[in-house]
Amino acid sequence: MSAHPESAELLVRNARITTLDAARPAASALAVAEGRIVGIGDEREVERFRGPETRVVDALNRRMIPGLNDSHTHVIRGGLQYLLELRWDGVESLADALRLLAAQAAGTPPGHWVRVVGGWSATQFAERRLPTVEELNRAAPDTPVFVLHLYQAAVLNRAALRAVGYDRDSPDPPGGRIVRDGRGTPTGMLLAAPNALILYSTLAKAPRLDPAGQALSTRYFLRELNRFGLTSAIDAAGGFQDYPDDYAVIGRLADAGELSLRLAYNLFPQRPGAEIEDLHRWAGLVRPGDGDDWLRFNGAGENVVWSAADFENFRQPRPDLPGGMEAELEAAVRLLVEQRWPFRLHATYDETIRRDLSVFERIDAEYGGVLGADRDGIRWWFDHAETASRSSLDRIAALGGGIAVQDRMAFQGEYFLERYGRAAARYAPPLRSILDRGIPLGLGTDATRVSSYNPWRAIHWAVTGGTVGGVGLYPDDNLLTRTEALTAMTVGSAWFSGEQSTKGILAVGRLADFAILDRDYFAVPEEMIPALESDLTVVGGRIVYAAGEFTGLAPELPPIDPTWSPIAVHGGHRPHRLRGHPLPADPCWW
């Protein structure tokens, strides 16, 4: 704190502040000291906190909101290789995407790949299809290219097939398929049938950055998230993300004070059949709440046992989970209850949710009502829940659970329509029914390997029901208002890390996390919501991102290395307006 006993370190004036605080919904100025808000109101009220060393920022009458908080994303894994990935998020035509790819391949040195990993869908392109293997071969005849499409498929060029070693003798892995020609030779197309293990195990063969490169890559990814006004996220772990090794980089950045985003992280057992062993081992290393306001441990999941996973590949039939799933899940949840670990569980389909709930209800009854943070019990929740039924929602509410939803349907809604029809899509997921039952609702992206990391895309989806291809999915009675969607991406998400009393609302005593937007979220046309960005992002009173009229107020990052990085050459996400594509009568995406 500055030398003046009453003074703030940062004072923001001339703002249109949406506080999300029912006691004071709007303000025009706020003051920050020691990372927290010490004053908020009109400029006369806040002026008393100005001291000789106070930094004053004129918000230029812009809209200020609480910092966004993604309740389900994969920041830690995504950051490690961010500088090596070519982003197609927001690119509106396949022709433009291929031009970017060809230009990147021309500048990529031998021994490295061009990889496009998540954040886009074939439905966003004017051409409404994936690239072909032949197009990748023409764009990059010598450089390995790996293009991942959702949980569905990957397209590899000839050089990438050689690099990964797939040939006529390569067997199809369980749950995946290597597409072959009439002679049995791999064509370059890999299909999840139904699970994505083949896609991610192939990606894992790509070159990786060294630890110093991973640290720099993570810092640039966090800065990219700050560009959209994100100040917090909950990391849902994921496959090929082991603890503690794959958390070393984020831990070192936290220790050095180099994080620009607050992270609560979960742990995901990596070895099918050995989940209990992983959870026992981790219980001896870390406890929920370990860490601080910048990096803290949040519990188990999003998978706690592999047999309970129902990956949402809507190009494939709904997977039937094995008959022994309940016994494995029960053993894991008993351990988590005994360790007092919060947990989250990936569940796309109501068929899965009903089976999971039977396990939870049995354990809750046996332990005397141990589940449910509202009952001073263990915080727990489902992730995704696209086809959750009303009866399942009632059971979740009775057990004090939450639901974290993501905009996966914005990227995969057309495929859901193909398989299940419009009636099923209308309430997938049932946003309004979740709120009506008082179930905690957190909004997120599930970035980076499927959806885009742009939180405004998720907010747009919740407000409009629109896909990236321009198809409207939901009736009015399953849409959120702009305020409800913003709440779900701020204080709503904070419930899922037990931080709803410190994050998500701009009020005295709360963490000073906020964003000044480049345009007014509450005034722009709906189709412009995905193009919103922050011009000034503040975390704990520290300016972490600045653009437009505020350029120069944030500290610079070290130069990007390698210099041929796709992020250095082409940048990250490209916000764009939603176009109105008609849904083809007989859609075929590849």
Side-chain angles (χ1 to χ4, degrees):
M1 195 166 177
S2 72
H4 192 287
E6 297 293 326
S7 67
E9 292 138 9
L10 175 68
L11 190 151
V12 180
R13 58 172 297 274
N14 190 24
R16 286 180 290 158
I17 304 174
T18 297
T19 68
L20 297 182
D21 178 8
R24 187 163 200 167
S28 60
L30 62 74
V32 178
E34 296 182 350
R36 293 184 180 259
I37 297 170
V38 294
I40 187 166
D42 60 34
E43 294 194 27
R44 177 186 54 79
E45 293 173 284
V46 173
E47 181 65 22
R48 68 187 182 89
F49 294 98
R50 185 198 295 252
E53 299 177 21
T54 300
R55 185 180 200 177
V56 179
V57 172
D58 186 333
L60 306 174
N61 200 33
R62 300 279 190 83
R63 177 67 60 187
M64 180 193 291
I65 61 170
L68 300 181
N69 184 350
D70 191 326
S71 64
H72 181 121
T73 187
H74 300 273
V75 173
I76 295 172
R77 183 179 66 189
L80 295 178
Q81 310 302 325
Y82 171 70
L83 289 182
L84 295 182
E85 294 178 359
L86 178 66
R87 306 305 308 178
W88 281 358
D89 316 47
V91 179
E92 297 190 5
S93 77
L94 178 57
D96 287 342
L98 288 170
R99 279 192 285 271
L100 287 171
L101 192 149
Q104 184 58 43
T108 299
H112 290 277
W113 295 16
V114 176
R115 63 195 89 180
V116 180
V117 183
W120 66 283
S121 171
T123 62
Q124 79 191 41
F125 292 147
E127 299 87 344
R128 308 284 283 175
R129 65 174 178 85
L130 295 181
T132 65
V133 174
E134 291 74 18
E135 285 171 329
L136 296 190
N137 285 333
R138 287 196 298 270
D142 302 311
T143 303
V145 173
F146 176 97
V147 176
L148 177 69
H149 185 242
L150 311 175
Y151 278 142
Q152 298 174 1
V155 190
L156 283 66
N157 69 348
R158 190 180 304 111
L161 280 176
R162 289 196 300 267
V164 299
Y166 291 161
D167 57 25
R168 294 175 62 182
D169 298 323
S170 300
D172 287 347
R177 183 159 69 91
I178 301 171
V179 178
R180 305 169 194 270
D181 62 20
R183 298 184 300 275
T185 302
T187 64
M189 178 72 75
L190 308 179
L191 296 180
N195 70 59
L197 183 60
I198 185 176
L199 311 181
Y200 297 156
S201 62
T202 303
L203 177 60
K205 299 175 185 288
R208 296 167 61 90
L209 293 168
D210 63 20
Q214 291 178 346
L216 183 63
S217 179
T218 298
R219 293 184 69 187
Y220 267 92
F221 186 41
L222 300 185
R223 178 67 64 93
E224 172 78 344
L225 298 179
N226 298 148
R227 173 161 74 104
F228 296 101
L230 274 163
T231 59
S232 289
I234 306 177
D235 190 283
F240 297 90
Q241 186 177 340
D242 200 10
Y243 183 83
D245 294 351
D246 292 324
Y247 293 73
V249 168
I250 203 73
R252 287 196 296 270
L253 291 176
D255 290 343
E258 293 178 338
L259 296 182
S260 62
L261 187 83
R262 303 185 193 276
L263 283 170
Y265 65 93
N266 286 67
L267 296 182
F268 178 144
Q270 297 295 301
R271 299 174 297 160
E275 296 93 339
I276 301 299
E277 181 182 339
D278 279 345
L279 293 171
H280 266 301
R281 175 167 55 90
W282 293 338
L285 298 175
V286 64
R287 300 291 302 169
D290 282 358
D292 57 22
D293 288 334
W294 285 95
L295 182 67
R296 64 199 303 269
F297 176 53
N298 196 46
E302 63 182 289
N303 278 358
V304 296
V305 293
W306 281 82
S307 60
D310 66 353
F311 289 109
E312 85 309 343
N313 179 359
F314 297 138
R315 297 306 299 268
Q316 296 286 329
R318 177 182 60 81
D320 290 322
L321 301 184
M325 180 274 284
E326 282 86 350
E328 294 183 7
L329 180 61
E330 183 167 338
V333 174
R334 283 183 185 278
L335 171 60
L336 297 173
V337 165
E338 290 166 2
Q339 296 293 330
R340 302 290 298 181
W341 275 32
F343 61 92
R344 63 193 307 163
L345 202 65
H346 171 115
T348 301
Y349 299 100
D350 191 57
E351 290 82 355
T352 301
I353 291 170
R354 292 199 306 265
R355 292 174 65 179
D356 294 340
L357 283 169
S358 295
V359 173
F360 301 163
E361 288 163 346
R362 185 162 56 249
I363 291 175
D364 187 64
E366 181 179 332
Y367 283 84
V370 70
L371 297 181
D374 59 339
R375 300 184 292 181
D376 294 324
I378 295 168
R379 189 178 308 272
W380 72 275
W381 65 97
F382 282 117
D383 288 301
H384 316 313
E386 274 85 0
T387 69
S389 65
R390 292 181 179 181
S391 61
S392 290
L393 295 182
D394 291 339
R395 295 167 69 188
I396 293 167
L399 280 178
I403 300 179
V405 300
Q406 303 79 41
D407 61 337
R408 305 191 309 177
M409 288 289 283
F411 291 82
Q412 305 185 72
E414 287 87 345
Y415 306 117
F416 189 98
L417 284 167
E418 279 184 34
R419 182 163 296 279
Y420 300 110
R422 177 146 315 260
R426 287 164 61 85
Y427 299 96
L431 299 173
R432 177 59 54 190
S433 291
I434 294 169
L435 281 183
D436 287 348
R437 284 163 172 78
I439 297 172
L441 175 68
L443 183 57
T445 64
D446 202 11
T448 59
R449 292 185 172 177
V450 175
S451 304
S452 171
Y453 51 74
N454 177 3
W456 295 106
R457 170 62 65 189
I459 289 172
H460 172 270
W461 162 78
V463 169
T464 69
T467 72
V468 296
V471 174
L473 297 174
Y474 309 138
D476 289 345
D477 64 356
N478 195 35
L479 298 176
L480 304 186
T481 68
R482 295 196 193 200
T483 298
E484 288 170 336
L486 182 62
T487 299
M489 186 70 89
T490 52
V491 67
S493 292
W495 180 91
F496 295 82
S497 57
E499 297 175 289
Q500 67 271 30
S501 64
T502 59
K503 289 182 180 179
I505 288 175
L506 298 180
V508 171
R510 299 274 182 150
L511 292 170
D513 301 349
F514 54 85
I516 299 174
L517 303 181
D518 63 345
R519 282 160 291 183
D520 188 345
Y521 165 60
F522 293 101
V524 297
E526 286 182 343
E527 65 269 19
M528 292 303 297
I529 292 174
L532 288 171
E533 296 186 15
S534 172
D535 270 353
L536 190 79
T537 305
V538 175
V539 186
R542 177 160 59 92
I543 297 172
V544 297
Y545 177 82
E549 291 90 343
F550 304 104
T551 297
L553 296 184
E556 294 289 330
L557 292 179
I560 292 178
D561 184 25
T563 56
W564 52 265
S565 159
I567 302 304
V569 177
H570 303 292
H573 181 281
R574 298 162 186 81
H576 70 293
R577 296 202 311 157
L578 191 71
R579 299 185 317 278
H581 289 307
L583 183 66
D586 184 19
C588 180
W589 315 115
W590 64 73

